[in-house]
Amino acid sequence: MTAYLTEWEKYIKSMPSEYKSQVNRFKRAFEIVATEPEPEVGLTPKEVIWKKNKSKLYRYTPTQKKLHKTPILMVYAMINKPYILDLTPGNSLVEYLVDRGFDVYLLDWGTPGLEDSHMKLEDYVVDYIPKAAKKVLRTSGASELSVLGYCMGGTMTSIFAALNEDIPLKNLIFMTSPFDFSETGLYGHFLDERYFNLDKAVDVLGNIPPEMIDFGNKMLKPITNFYGPYVTLVDRSENQRFVESWKLMQKWVADGIPFPGESYRQWIREFYQQNKLINGELEVRGKKVDLANIKANVLNIAASRDHIAMPHQVEALMDVVSSKDKEYKLLQTGHVSVVFGPKAVNETYPTIGDWLEKRSK
C-alpha cells in the first residue's frame, strides 16, 4: 500500500501544474468529508428553565446588563434542529440578540420518539407554546413578550397568537414562514392528494423519517441540492473559511428529526392540501383560528430565493392581521441563508435587532 501511495505521489508530481491543483482540491475535499470531525454547534451559553415531554425551553446567559424590557421567545419548526439559530459564534442570531442586550429564550421541540406519533400540531400550539410563553414572562419579570417564529415555527406561532389574546404579545417576528398554501410550486405537485397517499404514509411509518423530509426539500432543486454542495466544496476546498461554513451547514442539514405522524398528517392535509389557515377555516380543538385576532406589532420577513416558503406565501399574512404596526421585508437570500451566512449577519440580524429595539422598551 505504501509503495502504491509513493508511486501515486510521484505521478501527481509529474502532472502539469493546472492538473495538480485540481487533484489536490479533490484530495482535500475527500479529507473534509471522510476524515475531519463534525464542528461544534449551539455554543451560546444557556440553561434549561422548563421541560415538557421531549421539549425544552432555554434561556440564554446575558453577556451584559439587560438593555431591553421585552424578552424574546424563539420558536422553530418541527423538522431539523433549532441550533440553526445559534450555529456558530459570529454567525448566530441568538448570540447577536444576546449581545445587543435582549433577554433571549428558545423553545426546542426535542427529538420525538415513536411514542409521540399521536401528537398533533394543535397539541404543540395549545399545550406547549402558551406554557413556554408564560414561563418566559415569569422568568423575565416582563409584562409583555416578543415571539420570533422561523419557517414552520412562524406558522405555528401565528396560530398561537390568534388563539391566545390573553397572553400579552407585544411583537411578532415571522421569518420565512408560509401562511398561504394555494400556490406552493413543486411542493403542491408532490403532495397532491391524487398522487400522494398521506394516510398510508403516516399509518405505515408512524413518524415521518427525517430522510423523507430532506429528500422532498432537496427535490425542489435536485441538481443544486444533491450535487451542488460537493461541486462547490471541490472548487473551494483550499479556502478554510468556506470549508468551516460548509461543514456547519452540512451538519445541520443532515441532522434531521422525525416528524410526529399525526402532526405531519395535519400539516399536509389542512395546510398544503386544504389551505385552511389563510382562509379562516382551520379549527383547533373546536375553536376557529382567525388571524385577524393578531394585533401585536408584526415584522414579516421573506426571502427572494426561497423555494420552501415562497415570498407570496409569506406576504399573504399582511392582508389578514389587524396589527397597526406591521412591516413586510423581502431580503435577497434563501430559506436558510436568511439566518446563516454573510447576508444573514449583515442584513437579517440588524433588521431584526433594530426593529425589536424600537419596540422593546
Side-chain angles (χ1 to χ4, degrees), residues 63-83:
T63 56
Q64 58 174 298
K65 181 181 177 181
K66 186 167 67 173
L67 301 178
H68 312 290
K69 288 170 59 177
T70 311
I72 308 166
L73 170 62
M74 295 183 169
V75 180
Y76 184 55
M78 300 297 299
I79 56 175
N80 288 102
K81 292 184 179 176
Y83 62 72

Side-chain angles (χ1 to χ4, degrees), residues 93-346:
L93 177 58
V94 167
E95 177 193 55
Y96 175 86
L97 293 173
V98 169
D99 287 348
R100 283 191 63 161
F102 288 97
D103 192 7
V104 182
Y105 301 76
L106 183 142
L107 180 55
D108 182 347
W109 299 117
T111 302
L114 192 58
E115 67 276 11
D116 301 306
S117 62
H118 67 285
M119 294 286 290
K120 295 183 177 180
L121 274 183
E122 60 191 49
D123 295 324
Y124 293 102
V125 170
V126 174
D127 297 330
Y128 287 66
I129 301 179
K131 289 179 180 178
K134 291 173 182 176
K135 181 65 175 178
V136 169
L137 289 168
R138 289 195 302 272
T139 302
S140 66
S143 58
E144 299 175 293
L145 80 156
S146 302
V147 181
L148 182 152
Y150 176 31
C151 184
M152 177 188 176
T155 314
M156 296 168 72
T157 295
S158 73
I159 301 168
F160 151 73
L163 291 174
N164 291 276
E165 295 180 86
D166 59 315
I167 294 180
L169 297 174
K170 187 172 185 180
N171 304 305
L172 293 171
I173 299 173
F174 301 104
M175 191 162 63
T176 62
S177 300
F179 302 101
D180 184 353
F181 295 80
S182 57
E183 295 291 337
T184 56
L186 280 176
Y187 265 141
H189 297 293
F190 293 162
L191 300 172
D192 191 309
E193 57 189 335
R194 293 174 296 176
Y195 316 118
F196 178 53
N197 194 328
L198 172 62
D199 290 328
K200 179 171 278 191
V202 174
D203 293 344
V204 170
L205 296 171
N207 291 331
I208 303 303
E211 295 82 3
M212 180 173 165
I213 304 294
D214 182 54
F215 182 80
N217 288 336
K218 286 179 176 175
M219 282 300 292
L220 296 175
K221 295 182 72 177
I223 301 300
T224 299
N225 292 326
F226 284 108
Y227 301 107
Y230 299 98
V231 172
T232 307
L233 177 62
V234 170
D235 286 342
R236 303 180 66 182
S237 61
E238 295 170 340
N239 181 333
Q240 189 57 30
R241 187 173 178 181
F242 168 81
V243 167
E244 293 304 320
S245 293
W246 187 92
K247 287 164 66 177
L248 284 162
M249 185 50 52
Q250 293 307 306
K251 174 179 173 60
W252 178 76
V253 168
D255 202 8
I257 59 174
F259 201 135
E262 292 304 322
S263 291
Y264 182 79
R265 197 195 308 264
Q266 189 176 18
W267 178 241
I268 300 304
R269 176 159 291 142
E270 299 193 21
F271 293 80
Y272 277 93
Q273 294 180 346
Q274 298 175 350
N275 197 24
K276 287 185 175 182
L277 177 61
I278 203 73
N279 293 327
E281 299 169 355
L282 183 67
E283 284 194 14
V284 171
R285 295 187 183 174
K287 293 179 64 176
K288 276 283 182 71
V289 178
D290 185 356
L291 295 176
N293 290 337
I294 295 176
K295 300 179 178 66
N297 306 323
V298 168
L299 174 62
N300 192 17
I301 297 173
S304 62
R305 300 192 302 276
D306 194 340
H307 299 276
I308 293 174
M310 293 180 284
H312 67 268
Q313 293 183 264
V314 177
E315 188 178 12
L317 179 73
M318 307 305 288
D319 294 330
V320 294
V321 297
S322 299
S323 310
K324 292 180 180 178
D325 180 351
K326 56 184 179 180
E327 180 180 352
Y328 172 72
K329 194 84 173 175
L330 180 64
L331 300 180
Q332 303 304 306
T333 68
H335 188 75
V336 178
S337 57
V338 75
V339 76
F340 174 73
K343 286 268 190 177
V345 172
N346 296 321

